[in-house]
Amino acid sequence: VKEPPTFAAGFKGVTVALDHAIKEMGTVKAMQALIKLNQKNGFDCPGCAWPDPDDKRSLFAEYCENGAKAVAEEGTKKKTGPDFFAKYSIDELGNWSDFELGKSGRLIQPLVKYENDNHYTPISWDDAFKLIGDQLNALPSPDDAIFYTSGRTSNEAAFLYQLFVRMFGTNNLPDCSNMCHESSGVGLSETLGIGKGSVKLEDFYQTELIFVFGQNPGTNHPRMLSALQKAKANGAKIITVNPLLETGLLAFKHPQKVKDLLGGGTPLTDLYLQVKINGDIALIKAIAKLVLEAEKKNKGAVLDLDFIENQTSGFDAFVSELDNYLLEDLSEECGISMEQIKEAAQMVIERKKIIACWAMGLTQHENGVNNIREVVNLLLLKGSVGKPGAGTCPVRGHSNVQGDRTMGIWEKPKTAFLDKLEEVCGFEPPRHHGHNTVDAIKAMYEQKGKVFFAMGGNFISATPDTEYTAKALQNCAMTVHVSTKLNRSHLIHGQTALILPCLGRTDTDNQKGGKQFVSVENSMGVVHSSRGTRKPPSDKLLSEPAIVAELAKATLRKYDKIDWDHLVENYDNIRILIEKTIPAFKDYNKRVRQTGGFYLPNCAREGNFQTVTNKANFTVNPVNRHHLKENQYMMMTIRSHDQFNTTIYALNDRYRGIFNERRVVLMHQKDIERTNLKPGDTVDLFNYYGGTERVARTFVVVEYNIPEGCVATYFPEANPLVPIDKVAKRSHTPASKSVIVEIRQSKL
């Protein structure tokens, strides 16, 4: 453990990124790949969904440290072939760490584990598809199958996937949105009429105030730091709301600016509010009360009264409920002093153009939807939606998770979408809702979900209640994973298990019609192309669209209205089908070929709020109070800096000063002393939600700058403590950021 650095990026970030890429890919191939990353004629980063600039992009490096690491992981020279799986049994691999599994190399051919076997063995593509198709067609009901989707999947693959699944007869299409920004989608849909953010990247350069709630962009979306730096240069202020003091929000050294590298960089946060875990609503209410008080003293000078009167609903009920709270009580509940709350309120009072950004720190709570709605309340007071320099910015964590939902990857499809799918594709899609991620796990646990098919991702490591989820997967007759590299989910399997290796985002994709490109949608609703440039590591890999097409041909024996081979030989044919089905994609093939792509319509951005009231809605969201007993702590799971989602790049967390270990629990000094512990002690963590004991053993105590009564741990290591039944109301997102734990010293 070392002192965390005082700034993010800089020369260190450059050297770490290049070192990682060169070690995995070699110098020449690393440079060839990185120079195409996020360029208008290149490929989209397989990491986060932060948007690329619409205008000029850096020719030297339009990527961040973790983007370079993501490319290196996918472009590694190492391969995991038949000899590897002949040497290592599934049981042996189960003892490897997630880091070791990920470093084994790219998968290069289809693999199968038959019932009672302990090794994966090679299988031909034809035999693999026949095996899966036969298993699916033998199910008593299509609803006995579950089709999961990772956010990495392209628009073309996602559309084909949902088409196949619905032709098969089910809406069981859980995806990674269910576990991250589902609360954002629900909250924003209820208040603003669209489940996406409303801002463009250029709004950051025009805004006056930026809130960053529950987000660590220095690790999870590093290119956002350059947008914050530019906003600061244009006069914006930044308020950060986060229990942890994160280096990436303190200062930023732009790695391509000599002045930054030689100097101290750009200070980012003007006011850092280290809120108690899940104390955000109490904080926002306190700020709103002070804003309303200022309006009473200077009527018409603080609120946007014209906007509130003509374009919103529910304002009076919002104000009336707010009157029930005392400022002092709200201050105590959120853990922020009145002095800091007043400072934050004054910054809001003095400004008209406000952007609110957030990530999992707001969404992964039982009251996750209400957290989002309360953020919207604050923006509506200032009329800060639907105008330049203002609006909502939920920052997505995977490169096309937003696009997948646009393409129809959803367990609760809208009637209009299904009607159009029926009209265009000539079949009657199922109308009943399917399973979300948590419901899918429960179905498998109860042996009602018999086949699990995952289009990408690392399901077991991404989901809550690890032992429960593991048992659920093991109850399946068959599990199938479309993957680029080995991960934990391949080792927690059904009676029969298959691994189908696919092309990565960086690989060239040659089909019958020539070299293909795919398209993706970023966090701000821009749809653009992505063209892989690297030679694939094996000639036995298939693209995700090709895998879906072959699976459909092997399974849908009663349908002949879709020519799957025709769709895959040229992805323009898939995009034509998308254009016919989804209205926003008119002239898809033409517009996606435009430099930089095109924006999708956004009603909130346009000030046209398509809610039940046809206005933007103020809402009433009670403060969520937590009552912790002695030796209980509120735990949140977080990523390390050397990690993207469940992919572990290395065992370090440089920006938090933690090295060579992931099983750590970050605690306040007084909590360590109160528990008769000391830094470096080994402890076990327990959760007893619902009367079930859940335990995660051998975590090292690390003293950290975090509010008293709060602790932080990395996922997936702490996922066994996240209860399967503790989810956000209405969105069903696992409450991974508010887990009550007890801490006891490990017995040696």
Side-chain angles (χ1 to χ4, degrees), residues 128-168:
F129 289 126
K130 183 178 187 305
L131 188 63
I132 300 167
D134 288 347
Q135 183 71 59
L136 289 173
N137 285 318
L139 294 173
S141 165
D143 289 329
D144 289 334
I146 292 161
F147 298 91
Y148 177 76
T149 317
S150 159
R152 185 203 66 206
T153 305
S154 68
N155 284 348
E156 291 75 14
F159 184 84
L160 284 195
Y161 191 48
Q162 65 81 30
L163 176 61
F164 156 67
V165 170
R166 292 191 165 107
M167 280 189 159
F168 179 65

Side-chain angles (χ1 to χ4, degrees), residues 342-360:
K342 289 178 180 178
E343 186 178 353
Q346 192 60 36
M347 293 169 74
V348 173
I349 290 166
E350 294 173 354
R351 290 163 179 83
K352 296 180 179 180
K353 295 187 291 185
I354 303 173
I355 292 175
C357 309
W358 68 86
M360 306 300 94

Side-chain angles (χ1 to χ4, degrees), residues 11-66:
F11 186 72
K12 179 68 173 180
V14 174
T15 57
V16 169
L18 292 179
D19 181 65
H20 194 97
I22 291 170
K23 283 182 178 178
E24 291 289 340
M25 305 171 69
T27 302
V28 174
K29 290 185 176 180
M31 295 301 104
Q32 289 174 339
L34 293 176
I35 201 169
K36 289 291 187 179
L37 178 55
N38 293 324
Q39 297 298 332
K40 293 179 180 180
N41 62 344
F43 59 88
D44 191 59
C45 181
C48 81
W50 187 254
D52 305 312
D54 287 336
D55 47 14
K56 184 179 179 181
R57 301 185 187 179
S58 168
L59 297 176
F60 173 69
E62 189 57 60
Y63 56 85
C64 66
E65 176 185 335
N66 275 1

Side-chain angles (χ1 to χ4, degrees), residues 54-288:
D54 287 336
D55 47 14
K56 184 179 179 181
R57 301 185 187 179
S58 168
L59 297 176
F60 173 69
E62 189 57 60
Y63 56 85
C64 66
E65 176 185 335
N66 275 1
K69 291 175 181 175
V71 169
E73 290 292 305
E74 187 171 283
T76 181
K77 295 179 291 185
K78 290 175 282 195
K79 300 179 181 180
T80 310
D83 291 345
F84 176 90
F85 290 102
K87 180 178 180 180
Y88 298 110
S89 69
I90 294 172
D91 286 346
E92 287 177 297
L93 293 171
N95 291 320
W96 289 23
S97 69
D98 291 278
F99 172 66
E100 292 169 318
L101 292 172
K103 290 298 183 184
S104 59
R106 281 288 295 271
L107 296 160
I108 59 174
Q109 70 178 85
L111 300 160
V112 64
K113 184 217 76 77
Y114 293 107
E115 189 172 358
N116 299 322
D117 281 357
N118 197 21
H119 283 263
Y120 277 104
T121 55
I123 185 174
S124 71
W125 279 108
D126 287 344
D127 288 345
F129 289 126
K130 183 178 187 305
L131 188 63
I132 300 167
D134 288 347
Q135 183 71 59
L136 289 173
N137 285 318
L139 294 173
S141 165
D143 289 329
D144 289 334
I146 292 161
F147 298 91
Y148 177 76
T149 317
S150 159
R152 185 203 66 206
T153 305
S154 68
N155 284 348
E156 291 75 14
F159 184 84
L160 284 195
Y161 191 48
Q162 65 81 30
L163 176 61
F164 156 67
V165 170
R166 292 191 165 107
M167 280 189 159
F168 179 65
T170 184
N171 281 315
N172 285 345
L173 281 161
D175 71 333
C176 55
S177 272
N178 296 150
M179 294 184 287
C180 55
H181 268 294
E182 198 72 50
S183 296
S184 298
V186 173
L188 290 172
S189 295
E190 293 174 353
T191 56
L192 301 178
I194 184 171
K196 302 179 181 181
S198 67
V199 300
K200 296 181 178 180
L201 192 56
E202 64 190 46
D203 289 312
F204 278 80
Y205 313 145
Q206 303 175 44
T207 193
E208 298 170 333
L209 177 62
I210 300 170
F211 275 95
V212 181
F213 289 98
Q215 183 193 2
N216 179 18
T219 287
N220 301 328
H221 320 94
R223 284 198 299 158
M224 181 178 173
L225 299 182
S226 59
L228 295 178
Q229 183 185 51
K230 190 169 181 179
K232 292 283 290 185
N234 291 342
K237 298 291 186 180
I238 297 175
I239 298 176
T240 293
V241 182
N242 197 314
L244 293 175
L245 198 67
E246 300 286 17
T247 294
L249 286 162
L250 298 179
F252 171 57
K253 283 192 175 186
H254 200 302
Q256 296 181 41
K257 294 183 178 181
V258 176
K259 181 180 178 181
D260 276 16
L261 292 177
L262 297 178
T266 301
L268 294 180
T269 296
D270 296 281
L271 178 61
Y272 209 117
L273 305 177
Q274 284 189 258
V275 66
K276 291 180 182 177
I277 292 175
N278 204 16
D280 304 273
I281 287 182
L283 172 63
I284 296 170
K285 284 185 182 296
I287 294 172

Side-chain angles (χ1 to χ4, degrees), residues 379-401:
L379 294 176
L380 295 183
L381 287 175
K382 302 293 293 185
S384 282
V385 181
K387 66 183 182 185
T392 57
C393 184
V395 184
R396 303 284 180 166
H398 214 161
S399 59
N400 197 41
V401 61

Side-chain angles (χ1 to χ4, degrees), residues 611-653:
T611 66
V612 293
T613 64
N614 292 318
K615 293 185 176 183
N617 294 318
F618 282 94
T619 53
V620 172
N621 309 293
V623 171
N624 199 50
R625 302 181 187 276
H626 298 287
H627 303 286
L628 299 177
K629 300 177 182 178
E630 187 177 356
N631 195 37
Q632 285 187 337
Y633 301 87
M634 186 61 69
M635 183 194 82
M636 63 177 182
T637 61
I638 58 176
R639 294 178 185 169
S640 74
H641 186 63
D642 266 327
Q643 173 181 3
F644 181 74
N645 290 345
T646 60
T647 302
I648 312 300
Y649 300 137
L651 301 179
N652 303 325
D653 194 351

Side-chain angles (χ1 to χ4, degrees), residues 425-549:
C425 299
F427 76 105
E428 174 59 42
R431 300 283 170 160
H432 59 283
H433 288 175
H435 293 314
N436 59 38
T437 298
V438 168
D439 288 342
I441 295 169
K442 290 181 177 180
M444 291 186 287
Y445 188 88
E446 296 166 2
Q447 300 185 341
K448 297 175 183 176
K450 298 178 175 61
V451 173
F452 176 79
F453 190 104
M455 183 63 71
N458 181 1
F459 192 78
I460 188 66
S461 293
T463 47
D465 219 332
T466 307
E467 290 191 19
Y468 183 99
T469 301
K471 179 62 177 175
L473 290 168
Q474 290 164 344
N475 282 344
C476 291
M478 176 180 284
T479 50
V480 185
H481 294 273
V482 177
S483 305
T484 57
K485 299 182 73 178
L486 187 65
N487 65 51
R488 180 72 55 194
S489 294
H490 303 139
L491 312 177
I492 309 295
H493 49 72
Q495 295 172 26
T496 301
L498 292 104
I499 303 174
L500 307 182
C502 66
L503 295 175
R505 187 71 61 78
T506 61
D507 299 327
T508 55
D509 183 354
N510 289 300
Q511 302 295 336
K512 186 176 180 180
K515 186 177 179 180
Q516 304 299 311
F517 69 87
V518 295
S519 56
V520 296
E521 178 185 343
N522 65 35
S523 276
M524 295 179 184
V526 179
V527 177
H528 60 96
S529 63
S530 177
R531 297 170 172 82
T533 59
R534 297 182 60 258
K535 181 181 178 181
S538 167
D539 59 5
K540 294 182 180 179
L541 306 185
L542 294 181
S543 71
E544 288 182 329
I547 289 173
V548 175

Side-chain angles (χ1 to χ4, degrees), residues 595-621:
T595 302
F598 62 94
Y599 280 91
L600 292 175
N602 188 299
C603 65
R605 181 181 295 157
E606 297 153 9
N608 173 25
F609 305 112
Q610 298 175 4
T611 66
V612 293
T613 64
N614 292 318
K615 293 185 176 183
N617 294 318
F618 282 94
T619 53
V620 172
N621 309 293

